[in-house]
């Protein structure tokens, strides 16, 4: 699929599914509604769809000095379309969700913790031990406790919000400016390791 075919490609990958969400949102919702507890160890950069995936999990622990998270879509002329607007708002509140989406900045582990985007920022060399110990402790709980907790603290119903997000996303991604920004980003190496290291800077230079 080429970026030049973006409007037509929407019929393939951004159509509404039976439950009213697009395929990217459906992935996040599948993770959010798992009967198991889902825990992410974030020791690198999670942007765009990666940040949405992180926010859809039950818990996230981020490595200080190594982890970064951000919604960069605005720099490509679009808004998050995989649940990001909704997951962010439930985690950090509307004001900070708007800041994260519209600033398109990369947030470090400590800031993400302060905002509530992740559970905790922890020293990088302790990340594995902290998360592994938590996972083992949860797995050792008496039968039925995990399921009971997830019933008592269910994921928020985001059906209406996901529909609004999908409408906003599809309304932007069909615009020629968005297709051009995405195409230019790839042409300038946004998908390469070097491009990833300063993705926000690269996209800002193109958007400017």
């Amino acid at each position: 699929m080429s970026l030049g075919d973006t409007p037509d490609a929407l019929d393939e990958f951004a159509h509404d599914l039976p439950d009213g969400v697009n395929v990217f949102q459906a992935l996040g919702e599948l993770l959010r509604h798992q009967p198991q507890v889902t825990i992410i160890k974030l020791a690198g950069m999670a942007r765009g769809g990666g940040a949405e995936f992180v926010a859809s999990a039950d818990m996230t622990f981020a490595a200080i000095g190594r982890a970064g998270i951000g919604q960069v879509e605005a720099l490509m002329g679009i808004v998050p379309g995989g649940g990001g607007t909704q997951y962010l708002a439930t985690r950090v509140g509307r004001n900070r969700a708007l800041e994260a989406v519209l600033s398109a900045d990369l947030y470090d582990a400590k800031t993400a913790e302060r905002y509530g985007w992740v559970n905790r920022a922890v020293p990088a060399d302790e990340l594995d031990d902290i998360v592994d110990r938590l996972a083992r402790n949860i797995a050792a709980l008496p039968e039925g406790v995990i399921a009971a907790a997830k019933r008592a603290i269910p994921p928020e119903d985001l059906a209406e919000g996901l529909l609004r997000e999908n409408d906003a996303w599809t309304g932007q991604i069909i615009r020629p400016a968005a297709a051009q920004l995405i195409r230019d980003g790839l042409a300038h190496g946004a998908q390469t390791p070097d491009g990833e290291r300063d993705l926000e800077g690269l996209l800002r230079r193109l958007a400017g």
Side-chain angles (χ1 to χ4, degrees), residues 7-186:
D8 294 334
L10 288 175
D11 292 335
E12 298 177 28
F13 67 86
H15 61 282
D16 283 350
L17 300 178
D19 57 358
V21 298
N22 68 49
V23 291
F24 303 117
Q25 294 170 332
L27 176 62
E29 288 300 279
L30 179 65
L31 185 61
R32 275 207 325 139
H33 290 87
Q34 288 298 301
Q36 300 86 4
V37 172
T38 55
I39 307 173
I40 286 180
K41 293 190 287 189
L42 183 60
M45 304 301 172
R47 298 179 174 103
E52 291 172 317
F53 184 83
V54 167
S56 67
D58 291 323
M59 308 176 201
T60 300
F61 296 83
I64 296 170
R66 292 179 58 186
I69 190 167
Q71 298 291 165
V72 299
E73 291 89 344
L75 296 175
M76 297 180 284
I78 58 177
V79 296
T85 62
Q86 304 304 299
Y87 303 152
L88 260 176
T90 61
R91 283 184 175 232
V92 308
R94 180 178 183 273
N95 57 337
R96 282 178 166 166
L98 281 169
E99 176 194 341
V101 169
L102 296 178
S103 73
D105 282 338
L106 186 69
Y107 290 74
D108 62 37
K110 290 184 177 180
T111 304
E113 178 195 55
R114 190 168 70 250
Y115 276 31
W117 204 336
V118 302
N119 288 65
R120 257 191 287 167
V122 301
D125 60 356
E126 298 178 20
L127 180 64
D128 287 342
D129 288 342
I130 288 172
V131 176
D132 291 351
R133 182 170 63 252
L134 174 64
R136 285 194 300 271
N137 289 343
I138 291 173
L141 292 170
E143 184 177 353
V145 171
I146 296 171
K150 294 201 75 169
R151 285 197 304 272
I153 313 171
E156 194 169 328
D157 184 356
L158 301 176
E160 291 186 10
L162 291 172
L163 283 172
R164 291 193 302 270
E165 179 189 81
N166 187 51
D167 288 343
W169 178 72
T170 55
Q172 290 300 117
I173 202 168
I174 62 173
R175 292 174 178 264
Q180 186 64 50
L181 284 168
I182 295 169
R183 189 182 300 113
D184 288 350
L186 293 175

